């Protein structure tokens, strides 16, 4: 979900079906070992992220988007 949110912020949510997102895991105990985990369905993951974010805002009664910025 986090990678989907990053991709939506960078490319826009409409472009998510065209984006490839993956995590690369590098072993700290086995030299040379590396694994790639590709993530499918970025639009679905982004929707889940947005719902989780809305739930967090509701539970915390906090929405930073509504705060006035002072400088």
């Amino acid at each position: 979900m986090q990678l989907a949110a990053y991709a939506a912020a960078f490319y826009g949510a409409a472009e998510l079906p065209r984006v490839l997102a993956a995590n690369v895991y590098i072993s700290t105990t086995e030299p040379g070992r590396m694994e790639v985990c590709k993530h499918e369905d970025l639009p679905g993951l982004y929707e889940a992220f947005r719902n989780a974010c809305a739930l967090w805002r509701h539970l915390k009664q906090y929405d930073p988007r509504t705060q006035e910025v002072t400088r």
Side-chain angles (χ1 to χ4, degrees):
M1 285 187 280
Q2 185 174 2
L3 291 180
Y6 288 154
F10 189 80
Y11 297 108
E15 296 298 318
L16 288 179
R18 299 177 42 188
V19 175
L20 171 64
N23 289 96
V24 177
Y25 298 99
I26 301 171
S27 177
T28 59
T29 59
E30 298 176 49
R33 182 175 177 193
M34 177 179 67
E35 293 190 26
V36 177
C37 177
K38 294 181 185 176
H39 301 284
E40 307 291 332
D41 187 29
L42 289 185
L45 291 169
Y46 181 54
E47 181 181 357
F49 172 83
R50 292 188 61 189
N51 289 329
C53 189
L55 177 61
W56 184 89
R57 287 185 198 122
H58 175 76
L59 292 174
K60 300 295 183 180
Q61 293 296 299
Y62 176 72
D63 188 341
R65 299 170 303 172
T66 62
Q67 303 299 312
E68 186 174 318
V69 177
T70 58
R71 294 182 194 236

